[in-house]
Amino acid sequence: MGKIKIKKNDVWIDMTPMSDVMVLLLTFFMLSANFVKNEVVKVVTPSSQTMAKVPSSATLDITIDPEGRVLVATDKTVTMEKALEQMLKERETSLTPEQKKTFLTATQIGVPVKNLPQFLDMSHEEQVKVLKQTGIPTDSMATREDKMSEFQLWVKAMKNGYKEWYNDLTDAEKGEHANKLEICIKADKQTPYSSVKQVIAELQDINESRYKLVTQYKKLED
């Protein structure tokens, strides 16, 4: 008796739903991710065995390079804009609309306010060279007379700018954001202790005694 041959049919799988899910996931991660700005002046932080996560947003980052130069940055553009307005008024300096636009795209602030107009007219390559050779003045300890250094003015302007922006949010929007900027100090492992101590003293001088020291996590066995 002959064998009955069963006709084989090709298996076809509709991949359309899977591609839709992949596109939705990709869109979700793109919209919810916090993009890290490329810092001009980078430091190699020292090791530590304390593991506490630094906030991914709403931070005021203070960078101290190996030579003790100080730079500040924040991830909130609106905070930068409000702080800039306050600093220009404080230092009686003005910028053109184009210069302000260029400033808001910067990743770090590291020149005196009086030098901003000239600095913002430079090419990106020239700006990188200047940032690696200058820094924000931290001279309040040397010139008292109840005047604050530019570093202290920037810190207060950043904090006030963020607070002003936060207060303008609705109650629903406030739940999605931190209620204040967190100060994070990131120094290179070769930075002199005296430079870090001066920055901390400047912060304490304006009643900013809460901050995080950024380090690299090192396990006990390492």
Side-chain angles (χ1 to χ4, degrees):
M1 183 175 179
K3 295 182 179 180
I4 299 175
K5 294 184 177 180
I6 301 175
K7 185 179 180 181
K8 295 182 178 180
N9 295 322
D10 293 334
V11 178
W12 181 79
I13 301 175
D14 186 4
M15 300 295 290
T16 304
M18 182 177 290
S19 62
D20 290 341
V21 171
M22 292 298 294
V23 172
L24 287 173
L25 286 174
L26 179 61
T27 304
F28 169 76
F29 287 122
M30 288 178 63
L31 294 177
S32 61
N34 290 318
F35 294 95
V36 178
K37 292 185 177 181
N38 183 29
E39 296 179 340
V40 175
V41 177
K42 299 180 180 180
V43 297
V44 180
T45 54
S47 300
S48 171
Q49 293 177 356
T50 301
M51 188 175 182
K53 291 185 178 180
V54 175
S56 58
S57 62
T59 60
L60 172 55
D61 300 313
I62 301 171
T63 302
I64 313 174
D65 72 1
E67 284 71 37
R69 290 184 285 263
V70 178
L71 300 93
V72 298
T74 183
D75 59 320
K76 297 292 184 183
T77 303
V78 65
T79 302
M80 290 269 284
E81 186 174 8
K82 292 181 180 297
L84 176 63
E85 294 175 0
Q86 186 174 332
M87 290 299 296
L88 292 176
K89 183 179 180 181
E90 181 73 31
R91 286 303 195 230
E92 298 181 351
T93 306
S94 60
L95 297 178
T96 65
E98 189 63 31
Q99 289 172 335
K100 290 182 180 180
K101 184 178 179 181
T102 302
F103 176 86
L104 295 178
T105 62
T107 57
Q108 291 173 305
I109 305 170
V111 296
V113 175
K114 66 179 182 179
N115 296 342
L116 275 178
Q118 180 183 359
F119 173 78
L120 295 172
D121 286 336
M122 297 179 179
S123 64
H124 177 69
E125 291 74 16
E126 292 174 326
Q127 289 180 359
V128 171
K129 292 180 181 179
V130 170
L131 284 177
K132 291 182 177 180
Q133 297 175 356
T134 58
I136 298 177
T138 55
D139 53 4
S140 68
M141 306 301 288
T143 57
R144 294 303 303 170
E145 300 180 3
D146 296 329
K147 293 183 179 179
M148 293 186 290
S149 68
E150 279 200 12
F151 167 71
Q152 291 174 321
L153 290 172
W154 272 117
V155 172
K156 291 187 72 68
M158 292 282 193
K159 299 274 287 189
N160 292 337
Y162 183 84
K163 184 178 180 180
E164 182 181 341
W165 169 78
Y166 181 82
N167 290 337
D168 290 338
L169 299 177
T170 63
D171 291 338
E173 292 172 330
K174 287 181 179 179
E176 303 175 1
H177 302 278
N179 59 359
K180 62 179 180 179
L181 281 180
E182 280 209 52
I183 298 176
C184 297
I185 302 176
K186 184 167 59 175
D188 192 274
K189 61 182 180 180
Q190 301 296 332
T191 300
Y193 171 71
S194 59
S195 299
V196 179
K197 183 179 179 181
Q198 182 179 6
V199 167
I200 294 176
E202 294 250 320
L203 291 174
Q204 292 176 338
D205 199 35
I206 55 174
N207 298 321
E208 293 291 347
S209 56
R210 297 182 65 87
Y211 47 83
K212 294 183 182 294
L213 295 175
V214 181
T215 59
Q216 295 182 26
Y217 181 64
K218 180 179 180 181
K219 298 180 180 179
L220 289 174
E221 55 267 26
D222 293 339

